[in-house]
Amino acid sequence: MEGLKLIDIGENETIKEQVRRGLKEQQPFESEDFKAANEISLDLTYMFDTPDEGSIRRKDVENLIPGIIKAHKMLKNDEGDIYDRGICMTGWQTLPLEITAEHLDEIRSVTGELSGEIDAFVSLGIGGSYLGVEATFRALTHQYFNQLTREQRGGAPEIYFLGNNMDPDYFRDTLDMLEGKRIAINVISKSGTTTETAIAFRIIQKLLEKNWGGRANRMILATTDKAKGALRKLADRKGYRSFIIPDNIGGRFSVLTDVGLVGLAMAGIDIEEFVAGFKNMQDIALRDDFWKNPALVHAGLRHAAWLKGKKIEVVATNAVSLYGVARWMEQLFPESEGHEGHGLWVSPSLYSEKLHANGQAVQEGERNILETFLLLLEHDNRIQIPATDDDLDGLNFLADRDLDMGFINRKVVEGPAYAHFQGGVPNMIVEIPKRNAYNLGQFYYMMERSVAISGYLLGHNPFIQPGVEAYKQAMFALIGKPGYDDIARSMEKNLKRIKRIRV
Ligand code: PA5
């Protein structure tokens, strides 16, 4: 039998886009037409007055506006509880304006040169040193990127991620994909001591050195603090080419720093367009008029929901490409808000899949849920639905009316938005016009600003993560890392008091 041919399916527009990017053809992201076609908006139709007791009224949000505007002004002036170890952690605020064309050129020159020498690129990192770059990569590229030809990838090497878990099977499987290939890596860690990243790095570094000896150093990029930390020391000692995570920008706010830019440039994504999106939203998010500032509205609605007893924010998208972005939000918000008994639990969800799973609980379970949809308005591809002779499933009407798959996929948000609202789940829809770097940039900046405002409203610093640090310390102690003996001893004492229960 012959292999399958894609008859009457048409070319894949995502691949065409990758090829176009590979040819360095830029989108007209500075033009007014482009900007008008790429405005992110919030649809609040189903946010207020759900038919249940926990309903949020517009008045609830209006009552919050003076406090939100005060927070907005304090944030602009770098005032308040926003310091980490003496450093004001709002460097991300003005970063879009501070990134120079020379800096972008420098990144492109390193990645462009390296790309020509390798088959695969591995990004090592966890948390803020991983999620943003992977989310953006997945949002803008073909879902089976590594299985495409190099030409279809726009000339980019295969892209992999490691260091984000400690699973040896996953690690080994990834190594199989790298065997026989010329590889380069970017090890990303601000502290330089995060266990998962450090261990992944050791293994890969050893492999590179065993294969290529001294030449291996050229294949290692390090993205870390400019002066301190273990990775900085190692990078300087070995002469790795290195990139910087600024002191005043925390991991989860770092997607626009070299943390994100290096990997995205390697994947052929237009980092200039990405920066332009951030810049545009920065302008919008500085507006003092609450209802004209989507970052403030977003913060206000979520806070009102939390005050009304909502505990879970389901962040649901109908675009597989945006699922990683929902996962990025799962970090940005809970790591920033989940302090002192506060904050919404963010649950990333892919619809339709989850509508056939925990969608039941969203509709009829405990009424403690807020839902935020990430709705992709325009997919890259249009897939026609064919008519059949017998029409047994009764869907010929779709073909008759020329309704494509993307049309139905939009209803995968609009349908649940209506039904969940009726069931007592307030929801807002973040409308994202198209899959492009500009819109991702806009979206990230809006969310960063929103979560910063949320910190003021909750009354604690959103730029620290003592809970994450606590787990890191406990891990060090448990694996017997020298220097953590005191913690290990106190753990041992505590563990003696805890009765082990096994059934
Ligand atoms: O947002 C954060 O600060 C964290 O999620 C960190 O990014 C994460 O813990 C990784 O830390 P590091 O970059 O120091 O390895």
Side-chain angles (χ1 to χ4, degrees):
M1 197 168 74
E2 274 182 52
L4 181 78
K5 292 198 180 85
L6 299 183
I7 298 161
D8 295 338
I9 291 288
E11 280 184 77
N12 187 324
E13 296 297 327
T14 309
I15 293 182
K16 277 167 81 178
E17 187 69 21
Q18 286 173 181
V19 172
R20 191 190 58 67
R21 286 200 300 251
L23 296 171
K24 308 282 174 272
E25 283 173 20
Q26 287 201 308
Q27 300 212 71
F29 54 81
E30 299 288 4
S31 80
E32 289 312 314
D33 284 354
F34 179 90
K35 286 184 183 165
N38 286 284
E39 279 176 7
I40 292 188
S41 41
L42 281 176
D43 180 345
L44 309 183
T45 310
Y46 297 120
M47 195 64 206
F48 303 116
D49 305 320
T50 47
D52 69 311
E53 280 170 16
S55 141
I56 303 159
R57 316 270 168 217
R58 197 178 161 110
K59 193 90 203 106
D60 297 326
V61 176
E62 275 162 3
N63 289 341
L64 294 173
I65 295 178
I68 294 173
I69 295 298
K70 186 170 166 221
H72 172 61
K73 292 194 171 149
M74 285 178 79
L75 177 61
K76 275 202 224 175
N77 296 329
D78 280 340
E79 293 165 3
D81 187 6
I82 50 177
Y83 284 74
D84 186 9
R85 285 162 281 192
I87 299 172
C88 178
M89 295 305 292
T90 56
W92 53 271
Q93 272 207 91
T94 46
L95 182 67
L97 294 177
E98 288 157 10
I99 293 184
T100 61
E102 291 73 40
H103 185 59
L104 298 182
D105 282 345
E106 200 184 306
I107 291 175
R108 280 186 296 232
S109 133
V110 173
T111 55
E113 188 190 308
L114 202 52
S115 168
E117 300 171 30
I118 58 174
D119 307 307
F121 182 73
V122 191
S123 189
L124 308 181
I126 193 167
S129 294
Y130 152 65
L131 283 158
V133 58
E134 194 193 30
T136 315
F137 166 69
R138 302 247 178 254
L140 303 180
T141 58
H142 192 282
Q143 295 307 311
Y144 302 93
F145 191 78
N146 291 343
Q147 285 160 256
L148 299 177
T149 64
R150 185 118 193 187
E151 198 187 356
Q152 289 173 317
R153 293 197 298 265
E158 295 173 14
I159 305 281
Y160 294 90
F161 296 90
L162 277 175
N164 53 328
N165 63 59
M166 211 63 275
D167 179 341
D169 294 337
Y170 175 78
F171 202 94
R172 185 67 187 78
D173 291 356
T174 310
L175 291 181
D176 282 335
M177 295 298 106
L178 300 175
E179 190 173 14
K181 292 178 183 154
R182 300 167 302 159
I183 72 160
I185 66 169
N186 182 19
V187 51
I188 310 171
S189 179
K190 189 172 183 189
S191 62
T193 52
T194 302
T195 312
E196 292 83 348
T197 310
I199 289 179
F201 176 58
R202 268 182 178 239
I203 298 166
I204 299 274
Q205 181 205 32
K206 270 275 156 321
L207 268 174
L208 294 183
E209 288 178 354
K210 278 181 186 160
N211 274 275
W212 299 304
R215 280 182 303 146
N217 290 358
R218 195 181 148 61
M219 296 300 163
I220 299 175
L221 306 178
T223 304
T224 188
D225 188 272
K226 69 173 181 307
K228 45 181 199 306
L231 187 54
R232 165 54 52 205
K233 248 191 228 147
L234 185 73
D236 290 348
R237 192 175 299 157
K238 296 260 192 185
Y240 299 153
R241 284 176 281 187
S242 67
F243 295 92
I244 287 168
I245 311 178
D247 279 353
N248 59 355
I249 300 180
R252 57 196 173 277
F253 293 82
S254 71
V255 62
L256 187 63
T257 69
D258 295 350
V259 167
L261 296 176
V262 174
L264 296 179
M266 188 59 97
I269 288 159
D270 187 343
I271 51 179
E272 213 174 317
E273 184 190 323
F274 191 49
V275 176
F278 271 86
K279 272 193 198 152
N280 192 56
M281 186 54 78
Q282 185 188 15
D283 259 7
I284 296 170
L286 286 175
R287 292 176 188 157
D288 292 331
D289 182 339
F290 177 82
W291 290 108
K292 295 215 162 92
N293 182 332
L296 296 185
V297 173
H298 184 257
L301 293 171
R302 291 181 74 258
H303 193 67
W306 182 71
L307 291 175
K308 279 280 167 148
K310 306 302 174 200
K311 302 274 184 250
I312 296 168
E313 182 185 20
V314 172
V315 176
T317 179
N318 62 339
V320 175
S321 57
L322 294 183
Y323 181 59
V325 175
R327 290 180 63 222
W328 176 81
M329 288 175 74
E330 182 188 22
Q331 179 198 28
L332 182 70
F333 286 91
E335 199 171 1
S336 307
E337 296 178 333
H339 304 227
E340 300 174 20
H342 298 155
L344 287 160
W345 175 265
V346 172
S347 171
S349 233
L350 181 59
Y351 286 177
S352 307
E353 188 185 315
K354 289 289 171 74
L355 292 171
H356 297 254
N358 57 11
Q360 168 64 34
V362 178
Q363 186 70 44
E364 293 184 353
E366 194 177 343
R367 299 300 72 193
N368 58 0
I369 298 173
L370 161 73
E371 196 170 28
T372 300
F373 291 101
L374 308 185
L375 172 64
L376 181 66
L377 294 181
E378 193 184 324
H379 290 268
D380 288 354
N381 292 288
R382 186 177 156 83
I383 298 194
Q384 295 295 127
I385 294 147
T388 61
D389 291 341
D390 42 22
D391 193 25
L392 285 178
D393 56 11
L395 293 176
N396 267 2
F397 75 96
L398 293 169
D400 297 345
R401 292 183 205 161
D402 193 27
L403 299 174
D404 74 322
M405 213 165 149
F407 167 82
I408 305 167
N409 200 29
R410 195 166 165 152
K411 307 304 162 201
V412 164
V413 164
E414 290 170 6
Y418 169 79
H420 294 169
F421 170 83
Q422 297 296 344
V425 174
N427 60 75
M428 63 179 130
I429 304 178
V430 185
E431 295 175 335
I432 301 172
K434 250 189 101 55
R435 290 168 69 182
N436 61 39
Y438 183 84
N439 285 333
L440 267 279
Q442 293 201 86
F443 179 83
Y444 291 144
Y445 192 83
M446 174 179 154
M447 293 300 146
E448 288 173 0
R449 204 122 198 140
S450 169
V451 80
I453 297 293
S454 175
Y456 288 93
L457 301 178
L458 292 169
H460 62 70
N461 187 343
F463 303 115
I464 53 173
Q465 51 287 326
V468 174
E469 300 310 327
Y471 120 80
K472 286 185 180 178
Q473 307 267 319
M475 275 272 288
F476 288 151
L478 277 175
I479 60 177
K481 188 171 184 182
Y484 291 83
D485 312 346
D486 287 351
I487 303 177
R489 266 193 296 277
S490 107
M491 273 176 94
E492 211 176 309
K493 228 159 90 197
N494 288 337
L495 285 172
K496 273 190 193 134
R497 282 200 292 267
I498 298 172
K499 208 169 148 222
R500 292 255 160 212
I501 305 173
R502 266 206 188 89
V503 180

